[in-house]
Amino acid sequence: ANKMFRKRQQILVEGFKKLGWKNFNVPDTTFYLWLPIPSRYKTSVEFTEDLMHKSGIIAVPGEGFGQYGEGFFRVSIVCSEEKLYEVIDRMKKDGFYYEV
């Protein structure tokens, strides 16, 4: 199971880096990534709602984790490798890039 989750994590880490997310922590023992929202969004809810409506991707807004979570979003790595590649492809197609 650890090997499988490591591979899935690697897929998303590489994918998000290609979309412009460069500086984020990659946890050793979790099944999610915690990433900053692009600067063009005011809140994590605004970003995750846009992501859901435009790309059909569900991510958790950071504000749900308290005041220090605002400005971030959480994405899980529990679905298949094929679906994780699809997430990155949809984000790319729909213009979800990280810009400062």
Side-chain angles (χ1 to χ4, degrees), residues 20-35:
W21 275 268
K22 302 291 184 202
N23 297 315
F24 59 93
N25 292 328
V26 179
D28 289 328
T29 58
T30 63
F31 56 89
Y32 60 85
L33 293 178
W34 186 253
L35 301 138

Side-chain angles (χ1 to χ4, degrees), residues 35-53:
L35 301 138
I37 63 171
S39 61
R40 71 179 187 256
Y41 293 94
K42 291 182 174 95
T43 69
S44 58
V45 170
E46 180 187 10
F47 172 71
T48 56
E49 285 181 350
D50 199 29
L51 188 62
M52 178 180 66
H53 291 296

Side-chain angles (χ1 to χ4, degrees), residues 4-22 24-27 30-35 57-59 73-91:
M4 175 188 65
F5 280 117
R6 179 65 65 190
K7 174 66 175 163
R8 291 176 180 178
Q9 182 185 63
Q10 183 180 16
I11 290 167
L12 279 186
V13 166
E14 290 174 7
F16 277 110
K17 285 184 177 183
K18 288 178 182 175
L19 294 175
W21 275 268
K22 302 291 184 202
F24 59 93
N25 292 328
V26 179
T30 63
F31 56 89
Y32 60 85
L33 293 178
W34 186 253
L35 301 138
I57 297 168
I58 304 298
F73 70 102
R74 191 172 107 160
V75 61
S76 159
I77 61 172
V78 297
C79 58
S80 70
E81 291 179 19
E82 179 181 282
K83 289 288 184 187
L84 296 175
Y85 284 117
E86 184 179 335
V87 164
I88 298 302
D89 288 344
R90 285 186 193 183
M91 289 180 73

